[in-house]
Amino acid sequence: MNSSEENAVSAMSAGRSALRMGPAELVQAAAMARRFYLEGKSKIQIAEEFGVSRFKVARVLETALERDLVRIEIRVPAELDAERSDALRARYGLRHAVVVESPADATEDAPDPENLGAVAADLLGELVNEGDVLGLAWGRSTIHMAASLHRLPQCTVVQLTGVYDAGTAERGSVEAVRRAAQVSGGDAHPIYAPMLLPDPATAAALRSQTGIARAFEYFDKVTVAAVSIGSWEPGISTVHDMLTDEERAHYASLGVAAEMSAHLFDSEGRRVGRDLGERCITVEADRLRRIPEVVAIAGGLRKASAIGAVLRSGLVTSLVTDTAVADYLLTESEPGLRPALDRADPDD
């Protein structure tokens, strides 16, 4: 056996209990284990080679595990926390949960971990299939994700929201859409408009403009979407920062705790302040709920409670976050039904 085989099948360093096996048994068990675990042969094939029944092979392999002849290690990259990822997926009924290590010096005021974007980019590379329509909502996390994209099947890419500041469009959502389309080799449908308008009439007029209307036509065709989450605080929620002090106070009085794509949520995931949507260029919540796969990219303790609120909304199906947020979400009160899997609307 070479060094890599020794890491998976160790017949020479067996435990005390393994020494009770005779040398012929040890050699045979190690050989069968090598065939099964390293060479990928079936129990029937092994049985034929050694002239025994497949039931005998099964017993030998089971004994090899029990007596420490075989040591199976499950390894993922150090930055990924497989245990927390699986626990979070199960607790909220998520299709996919990917938890990355929080920075060692992370505090409650720290921004999203920088590696979320790269991990989310790899996840999209898995989830998007050729011919899909990928939707990208405005957000720092989605912008960082798009910048980290290196592989993506050919797909159409559409922008799901207006931008935080039309003057920075080239460095924000529009560039993210273009980048994703360039990587995939598909068509891009950006939206050259601010996310929040002064009044519903202005927003309606912009939605009817040819380029924006064309992007909106793709909303019902989106198969995978990437969104960001913000808590209702300065510098964390883009919508919060675009409103006047009076407007912020009004929505705060409604119990807003989180924001995603210009939709506001209370701590239980119920939508509040729906009138704001009339002034926004964004995908409607009902359309978002019908998208088969909605990946939220958000981390940092300052967003932890907001992420929990959005998970309860049933609008997202998957999450990329960090260990600090995962620990918070795994210890907070039960989410009730599995909202992300059931896609249940808390208001119904």
Side-chain angles (χ1 to χ4, degrees):
M1 297 171 64
N2 58 36
S3 60
S4 63
E5 289 176 332
E6 289 174 355
N7 289 334
V9 182
S10 178
M12 302 305 295
S13 60
R16 187 182 305 170
S17 60
L19 295 177
R20 297 171 186 168
M21 299 175 68
E25 291 177 302
L26 283 168
V27 170
Q28 184 185 69
M32 288 184 176
R34 184 184 300 109
R35 304 290 193 280
F36 185 74
Y37 292 107
L38 299 181
E39 299 176 11
K41 291 188 176 181
S42 70
K43 293 174 184 177
I44 293 177
Q45 290 174 314
I46 297 170
E48 290 175 351
E49 178 183 348
F50 287 87
V52 298
S53 72
R54 61 185 176 89
F55 302 105
K56 167 74 171 178
V57 174
R59 286 196 299 272
V60 170
L61 292 176
E62 183 178 349
T63 300
L65 282 172
E66 292 175 349
R67 300 193 178 187
D68 205 25
L69 284 172
V70 175
R71 298 174 182 175
I72 300 175
E73 294 184 61
I74 301 173
R75 295 181 178 180
V76 296
E79 66 175 350
L80 299 182
D81 192 308
E83 185 175 352
R84 284 184 175 92
S85 297
D86 187 56
L88 195 59
R89 177 200 57 77
R91 185 178 180 86
Y92 284 87
L94 293 160
R95 291 203 182 96
H96 305 279
V98 182
V99 177
V100 305
E101 287 291 336
S102 301
D105 58 350
T107 65
E108 291 191 3
D109 297 326
D112 293 17
E114 294 182 358
N115 52 352
L116 289 186
V119 173
D122 288 341
L123 178 60
L124 280 191
E126 292 183 59
L127 299 181
V128 175
N129 295 307
E130 186 172 350
D132 276 350
V133 177
L134 172 63
L136 300 181
W138 195 96
R140 296 179 184 89
S141 297
T142 52
I143 291 170
H144 292 159
M145 179 275 299
S148 300
L149 282 172
H150 296 291
R151 64 181 180 91
L152 203 61
Q154 188 171 37
C155 63
T156 298
V157 186
V158 59
Q159 194 169 323
L160 296 178
T161 66
V163 298
Y164 173 53
D165 181 350
T168 63
E170 295 301 311
R171 302 189 300 276
S173 302
V174 172
E175 179 55 33
V177 169
R178 285 177 171 172
R179 166 67 180 169
Q182 180 183 33
V183 171
S184 75
D187 295 331
H189 295 276
I191 294 178
Y192 295 95
M195 181 187 295
L196 180 66
L197 283 304
D199 53 70
T202 305
L206 275 179
R207 291 190 202 103
S208 65
Q209 289 188 358
T210 303
I212 298 175
R214 185 177 298 115
F216 267 65
E217 289 174 359
Y218 275 92
F219 286 0
D220 287 329
K221 303 174 185 177
V222 174
T223 50
V224 180
V227 300
S228 296
I229 296 173
S231 55
W232 196 244
E233 299 176 50
I236 307 179
S237 164
T238 54
V239 173
H240 177 283
D241 293 346
M242 288 189 282
L243 297 173
T244 65
D245 290 340
E246 183 179 356
E247 289 170 331
R248 291 179 194 132
H250 165 67
Y251 291 117
S253 71
L254 300 178
V256 60
E259 176 260 320
M260 179 183 71
S261 303
H263 299 294
L264 310 182
F265 307 87
D266 66 13
S267 60
E268 297 303 316
R270 294 184 293 259
R271 290 180 58 215
V272 296
R274 298 189 182 210
D275 60 304
L276 182 66
E278 298 176 4
R279 297 170 48 195
C280 292
I281 304 296
T282 186
V283 60
E284 299 94 327
D286 290 340
R287 278 177 159 174
L288 199 58
R289 196 181 302 278
R290 292 195 295 269
I291 296 175
E293 186 74 77
V294 180
V295 181
I297 310 162
L301 275 176
R302 63 181 186 172
K303 289 186 179 181
S305 60
I307 294 169
V310 173
L311 289 182
R312 289 186 175 87
S313 74
L315 289 175
V316 303
T317 61
S318 298
L319 175 67
V320 178
T321 192
D322 64 294
T323 52
V325 171
D327 287 341
Y328 173 88
L329 295 175
L330 290 170
T331 56
E332 71 166 355
S333 60
E334 286 289 342
L337 298 174
R338 301 198 298 169
L341 184 63
D342 302 329
R343 308 303 294 273
D345 187 340
D347 290 328
D348 291 343

